[in-house]
């Protein structure tokens, strides 16, 4: 490792100790190098630094026991999340407007959107927006506000007027807990507010979760099961009126 690279790495680790999560572009600016150089530095220091959805964090954060962190959730049940999104992507039609919720499940949905589909996508999470930028034919509407590093998402009601002015054909929602009686829940209250607003405006609402979320109940309620047109897991699609996993 060269002296300059060692200095950059030490500074980046120091920044992470203070802020926990830094976006790639911001890190490049702070270090006075290109984003590609930062990526190379991370690649040679994977034991100390991790890269996730356009964000940089300490590698130790991925092994944290916190109730929910974006970093922790990223690799959890990844295969099941992708399989659920393989079913969900069939609900996306070209020339329509969709909403994509925060978290790590729906990142896979973005990857599966056909490259030739011209759609408009609304989101409020940085990792989701960063992934959407890789789709040349997608127009992105990003809702802003106060940034919450744990879920890489924003909160605030001032952008709700934007939502009212857009016709949302389909909303793809995520959840940390799904219970047949108590409904869909998440870890963060600010997320629940956005989810509820979007669900009230969208023509179709789809809950996309892997089956590990079934039977769990988290602190922030956002919808009863009959608020969804369908629940989509790695096993396929089920209607909310008969919510159960296939045998």
């Amino acid at each position: 490792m060269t002296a300059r690279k060692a200095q950059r790495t030490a500074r980046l680790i120091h920044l992470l100790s203070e802020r926990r999560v830094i976006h790639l572009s911001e890190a490049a600016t702070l270090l006075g190098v290109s984003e590609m150089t930062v990526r190379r530095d991370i690649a040679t220091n994977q034991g100390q630094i991790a890269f996730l959805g356009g964000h940089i964090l300490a590698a130790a954060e991925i092994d944290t026991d916190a109730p929910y962190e974006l970093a922790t959730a990223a690799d959890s049940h990844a295969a099941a999340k992708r399989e659920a999104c393989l079913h969900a992507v069939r609900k996306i039609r070209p020339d329509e407007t969709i909403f994509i919720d925060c978290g790590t499940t729906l990142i896979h949905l973005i990857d599966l959107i056909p490259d030739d589909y011209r759609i408009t996508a609304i989101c409020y999470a940085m990792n989701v927006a960063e992934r959407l930028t890789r789709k040349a034919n997608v127009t992105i509407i990003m809702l802003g506000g106060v940034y919450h590093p744990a879920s890489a998402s924003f909160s605030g009601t001032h952008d709700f007027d934007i939502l009212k002015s857009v016709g949302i054909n389909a909303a793809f929602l995520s959840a940390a807990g799904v219970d047949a009686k108590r409904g869909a829940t998440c870890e963060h209250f600010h997320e629940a507010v956005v989810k509820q607003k979007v669900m009230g405006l969208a023509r179709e609402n789809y809950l996309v979760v892997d089956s590990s979320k079934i039977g769990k109940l988290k602190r922030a309620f956002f919808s009863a099961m009959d608020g969804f047109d369908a629940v989509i897991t790695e096993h396929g699609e089920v209607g909310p009126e008969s919510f159960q996993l296939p045998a």
Side-chain angles (χ1 to χ4, degrees):
M1 182 184 296
T2 65
R4 287 185 178 180
K5 180 181 287 189
Q7 290 174 354
R8 288 196 303 270
T9 301
R11 187 178 178 194
L12 186 55
I13 292 173
H14 176 71
L15 289 168
L16 290 172
S17 69
E18 295 180 332
R19 300 168 55 178
R20 298 189 65 190
V21 180
I22 303 174
H23 193 270
L24 174 63
S25 60
E26 183 181 7
T29 300
L30 291 171
L31 297 173
V33 294
S34 68
E35 292 185 11
M36 183 58 68
T37 296
V38 177
R39 285 177 179 269
R40 293 195 188 102
D41 289 349
I42 294 171
T44 57
N45 290 278
Q46 293 184 6
Q48 296 176 291
I49 307 169
F51 185 67
L52 176 67
H55 297 79
I56 303 167
L57 61 159
E61 292 282 353
I62 296 180
D63 298 321
T64 180
D65 291 328
Y68 179 89
E69 294 285 340
L70 185 70
T72 308
D75 295 324
S76 178
H77 306 284
K81 292 175 180 179
R82 181 174 176 80
E83 192 68 24
C85 288
L86 278 168
H87 296 291
V89 75
R90 300 168 187 167
K91 304 295 183 180
I92 297 179
R93 299 169 289 266
D95 302 314
E96 292 193 345
T97 297
I98 64 174
F99 170 83
I100 301 180
D101 207 351
C102 65
T104 57
T105 297
L106 295 173
I107 291 297
H108 301 285
L109 181 69
I110 298 169
D111 293 340
L112 294 166
I113 297 173
D115 289 337
D116 61 342
Y117 273 25
R118 293 186 178 277
I119 61 173
T120 297
I122 304 168
C123 66
Y124 66 111
M126 290 183 68
N127 64 317
V128 173
E130 189 275 333
R131 202 63 150 247
L132 284 168
T133 62
R134 306 179 190 182
K135 296 288 182 176
N137 289 318
V138 173
T139 299
I140 305 168
I141 299 176
M142 179 74 176
L143 306 179
V146 178
Y147 179 61
H148 300 267
S151 58
S153 61
F154 292 86
S155 67
T157 59
H158 59 281
D159 278 347
F160 282 0
D161 287 340
I162 296 176
L163 287 175
K164 293 178 182 178
S165 68
V166 179
I168 305 174
N169 298 95
F172 296 89
L173 291 305
S174 59
V178 182
D179 183 87
K181 293 183 178 180
R182 301 299 300 275
T185 53
C186 57
E187 286 283 1
H188 304 291
F189 290 105
H190 74 272
E191 296 173 13
V193 175
V194 179
K195 295 172 194 279
Q196 290 171 338
K197 185 64 177 181
V198 169
M199 290 183 69
L201 296 170
R203 175 182 290 175
E204 302 165 11
N205 291 299
Y206 300 106
L207 180 62
V208 185
V209 294
D210 68 87
S211 58
S212 72
K213 308 300 191 302
I214 308 301
K216 293 184 178 180
L217 184 67
K218 299 300 180 178
R219 58 183 177 176
F221 168 84
F222 67 91
S223 179
M225 296 312 300
D226 61 7
F228 303 102
D229 291 276
V231 179
I232 303 173
T233 75
E234 69 269 31
H235 302 292
E237 177 182 335
V238 293
E241 71 285 348
S242 58
F243 179 65
Q244 58 183 4
L245 287 178

